Amino acid sequence: MVRPERKTIALTVDLEEWTVPQEFGGEPLSEKYSIGISEQGTYRLLEILEQESIKVTFFVTAFFASRKPEIMKKIVELGHETANHGLRHSPLKNQTYVEQLTSLREAGKIIEKKAGSTPIGFRAPTLRIDEATIRALKTLNYFYDSSILATYVPGRYNRLRAPYMPFVWGETGQSDIAKPLLEIPISVTPILRVPVGWWWFRKNFGQRVCQLGFHALWRRNQPVVCVVHPWELVKPPSAPSIPFHIRFNCGERSIEQLESLINYVKKVGGKFVTMSWIANQFYDGV
């Protein structure tokens, strides 16, 4: 069990090429635009984090890292943690164990080369994982995963029975793998499973419910894990394939929400931590 020194929260950043249009049936954007919108948002985000003296964890796709190595170097120079977000922003689920093992290994090598830092954590694109994913991560000696959102997301998954707090994955038929793999879920409320750490919920419903959820977790000595995408901080195009609920509150409004979240956590005496910090606290407390 994680037993934080005080109220702790990990801001995690999914840094990827922008694939929202094709996720909703539209045509893929040009590489220049899909990378550019995340690049623009990342520089704005790094400014905010530096001003607030906050260190976060960036889950980065190898595709983005290979296209923007200068951003990767800046992230590491500023003291942030880099983690694996796959080769590209497309689901791993339904790939074989060998396929996932190969792609995760390749992605990790690319991220390490571009950032100069070895990733020890993973978050799956679109949060789609299966038993093969966990086996592959264990084989590659990853320290933690953060691909679980323990709630029901229509059209994607129903994880209402999944643990909402950090837990260790059990063995999955690989008796030769001794190293445990910690799962650090994205935050939901303990009872109703409201996804208070998920970017979509925060962006569309505001901060008040999220704040209540944070305190529900802190009262149980659990860390809060929140997700933000750099592209949220940029106004997206008004294309037919991009639903209103995705475009809603992007740009300046999302920047205001992020700054409000940071100010609130500081106001109540919270501490911003990285995902590897949470993982170390978990194992120290076992």
Side-chain angles (χ1 to χ4, degrees), residues 99-136:
E99 289 172 335
Q100 294 199 40
L101 180 66
T102 301
S103 65
L104 288 172
R105 180 184 285 121
E106 183 180 350
K109 288 181 178 178
I110 292 171
I111 294 165
E112 180 176 6
K113 180 178 180 180
K114 300 303 179 182
S117 176
T118 303
I120 60 172
F122 176 73
R123 176 175 289 156
T126 70
L127 305 184
R128 303 292 186 91
I129 59 170
D130 55 20
E131 183 177 304
T133 315
I134 302 307
R135 286 181 60 198

Side-chain angles (χ1 to χ4, degrees), residues 40-183:
Q40 183 181 344
T42 300
Y43 279 120
R44 183 69 183 92
L45 176 60
L46 288 173
E47 289 176 2
I48 294 170
L49 297 175
E50 190 170 13
Q51 290 168 4
E52 298 291 346
S53 299
I54 293 171
K55 307 304 178 188
V56 306
T57 300
F58 282 82
F59 291 91
V60 192
T61 64
F63 184 76
F64 184 93
S66 65
R67 298 306 190 271
K68 294 296 174 181
E70 67 279 7
I71 290 182
M72 300 304 299
K73 289 182 173 60
K74 185 172 181 64
I75 287 170
V76 173
E77 286 171 1
L78 291 174
H80 301 295
E81 178 183 4
T82 55
N84 192 339
H85 197 35
L87 274 175
R88 300 192 68 150
H89 196 246
S90 56
L92 288 172
K93 190 176 180 181
N94 298 326
Q95 294 182 13
T96 67
Y97 163 71
V98 173
E99 289 172 335
Q100 294 199 40
L101 180 66
T102 301
S103 65
L104 288 172
R105 180 184 285 121
E106 183 180 350
K109 288 181 178 178
I110 292 171
I111 294 165
E112 180 176 6
K113 180 178 180 180
K114 300 303 179 182
S117 176
T118 303
I120 60 172
F122 176 73
R123 176 175 289 156
T126 70
L127 305 184
R128 303 292 186 91
I129 59 170
D130 55 20
E131 183 177 304
T133 315
I134 302 307
R135 286 181 60 198
L137 290 171
K138 286 184 174 185
T139 301
L140 295 171
N141 290 320
Y142 271 75
F143 195 28
Y144 68 85
D145 175 69
S146 183
S147 303
I148 293 293
L149 181 63
T151 190
Y152 172 59
V153 178
R156 291 207 174 188
Y157 41 75
N158 183 350
R159 292 180 178 154
L160 286 172
R161 295 185 178 181
Y164 70 87
M165 60 181 68
F167 65 93
V168 175
W169 285 98
E171 291 298 333
T172 56
Q174 289 282 99
S175 59
D176 58 323
I177 299 174
K179 186 172 181 178
L181 176 70
L182 178 66
E183 181 65 38

